[in-house]
């Protein structure tokens, strides 16, 4: 059973300073926590970890992480990201922050996804919180962190774990979100020149760090142009024949 034991809205009270784990652009690492849980941290990610006798609390500040949680029924394992909290006892799942979106994918066991504010109201009574979304293996929750709306979708576990093997996978993902994933590995980050460009849908698998292939793929599929500006690559909507000619000359 999963219990909502999280603190929210600035109500974290650490017994001691949390342990900080972070990765740079292009770097991945695996972390072994004190309780025996294992965390696979994606590139350009950062998390805070604080364990007490009553709870195991993680805050994902950016990026993505996969958690293989050691069982401890007396101390639920909670990952807070944005406005949501993911609660488990012993299971395997990943949590990802993209712009204003949270994605939670369950591989094994059971997790509850609880609004952070709702979870805070239930912390003292140690009971399951209302407004809880329960996931089963093979499901992914995609939540909008501004509106609070969320949907649960089927997911392919093997494809979803491709990033651990150095692949970046996209399934019906807006280009704006896809760029954020690619940039975790990009020596030259991609910047979108207009909002319309970010709404194109991306599907496919790319090698992590192979920014050129990604750029060539999306600019050949959609009316987009790409050019280098300093240490970044700007992708924008093609608005004229002049832009098309410049893109064809690259």
């Amino acid at each position: 059973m999963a219990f909502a034991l999280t603190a929210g809205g600035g109500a974290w009270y650490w017994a001691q300073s949390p342990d900080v784990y972070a990765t740079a652009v292009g770097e991945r690492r695996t972390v072994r926590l004190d309780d025996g849980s294992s965390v696979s941290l994606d590139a350009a990610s950062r998390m805070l970890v604080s364990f007490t006798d009553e709870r195991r609390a993680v805050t994902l500040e950016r990026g993505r992480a996969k958690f293989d949680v050691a069982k401890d029924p007396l101390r639920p394992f909670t990952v807070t990201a944005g406005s949501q909290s993911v609660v488990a006892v012993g299971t395997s799942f990943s949590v990802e922050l993209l712009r204003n979106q949270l994605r939670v994918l369950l591989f094994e066991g059971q997790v509850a996804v609880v609004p952070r504010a709702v979870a805070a109201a239930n912390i003292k009574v140690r009971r399951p919180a209302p407004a809880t979304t329960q996931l089963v293996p093979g499901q992914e929750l995609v939540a909008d962190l501004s509106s609070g709306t969320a949907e649960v979708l089927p997911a392919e576990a093997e494809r979803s774990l491709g990033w651990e093997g150095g692949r970046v996978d996209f399934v019906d993902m807006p280009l704006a979100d896809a760029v954020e994933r690619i940039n975790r590995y990009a020596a030259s980050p991609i910047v979108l020149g207009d909002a319309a460009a970010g709404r194109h849908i991306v599907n496919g698998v790319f090698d992590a760090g192979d920014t050129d292939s990604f750029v060539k793929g999306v600019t050949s599929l959609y009316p987009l142009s790409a050019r280098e500006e300093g240490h970044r690559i700007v992708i924008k909507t093609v608005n004229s024949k002049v832009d098309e000619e410049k893109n064809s000359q690259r």
Side-chain angles (χ1 to χ4, degrees), residues 32-54:
R32 190 78 170 178
L33 303 181
D34 292 343
D35 68 332
S37 297
S38 178
V39 183
S40 180
L41 204 59
D42 198 2
S45 300
R46 175 183 166 94
M47 69 177 183
L48 309 180
V49 178
S50 181
F51 287 175
T52 68
D53 292 337
E54 296 182 347

Side-chain angles (χ1 to χ4, degrees), residues 118-132:
V118 173
N122 289 266
I123 185 171
K124 293 183 179 180
V125 296
R126 297 179 66 89
R127 69 186 180 202
T132 296

Side-chain angles (χ1 to χ4, degrees), residues 170-176 178 196-203 218 221-222:
F170 306 106
V171 179
D172 294 334
M173 176 169 283
L175 180 59
R199 291 192 286 269
H200 292 293
I201 300 302
V202 179
N203 286 280
V218 297
L221 186 61
Y222 296 114

Side-chain angles (χ1 to χ4, degrees), residues 15-212:
Q16 57 185 9
S17 297
D19 294 324
V20 179
Y21 299 94
T23 52
V25 171
E27 175 192 12
R28 292 185 301 273
R29 66 181 293 196
T30 299
V31 178
R32 190 78 170 178
L33 303 181
D34 292 343
D35 68 332
S37 297
S38 178
V39 183
S40 180
L41 204 59
D42 198 2
S45 300
R46 175 183 166 94
M47 69 177 183
L48 309 180
V49 178
S50 181
F51 287 175
T52 68
D53 292 337
E54 296 182 347
R55 68 186 180 192
R56 298 174 289 173
V58 176
T59 300
L60 182 67
E61 294 190 330
R62 65 173 182 265
R64 173 167 51 183
K66 177 176 175 287
F67 301 88
D68 293 300
V69 180
K71 290 185 178 180
D72 187 344
L74 299 180
R75 290 195 304 164
F77 190 101
T78 301
V79 179
T80 297
S83 62
Q84 303 291 313
S85 297
V86 185
V87 191
V89 173
T91 188
S92 178
F93 62 98
S94 66
V95 179
E96 181 179 24
L97 282 170
L98 285 168
R99 294 191 301 155
N100 199 37
Q101 185 184 87
L102 170 72
R103 305 178 77 99
V104 180
L105 200 160
L106 180 61
F107 303 106
E108 297 178 8
Q110 180 182 355
V111 297
V113 183
V114 187
R116 186 172 180 172
V118 173
N122 289 266
I123 185 171
K124 293 183 179 180
V125 296
R126 297 179 66 89
R127 69 186 180 202
T132 296
T133 301
Q134 299 279 352
L135 298 182
V136 299
Q139 288 185 333
E140 181 178 31
L141 178 138
V142 181
D144 186 304
L145 296 178
S146 292
S147 66
T149 59
E151 59 179 340
V152 176
L153 305 170
E156 296 181 35
E158 288 190 13
R159 287 191 63 177
S160 301
L161 288 175
W163 60 274
E164 289 190 302
R167 298 182 304 278
V168 188
D169 195 351
F170 306 106
V171 179
D172 294 334
M173 176 169 283
L175 180 59
D177 291 330
V179 162
E180 186 170 349
R181 276 187 181 172
I182 284 290
N183 280 346
R184 291 179 188 154
Y185 302 89
S188 297
I190 298 171
V191 176
L192 295 178
D194 58 273
R199 291 192 286 269
H200 292 293
I201 300 302
V202 179
N203 286 280
V205 181
F206 298 86
D207 290 334
D210 189 359
T211 309
D212 288 344

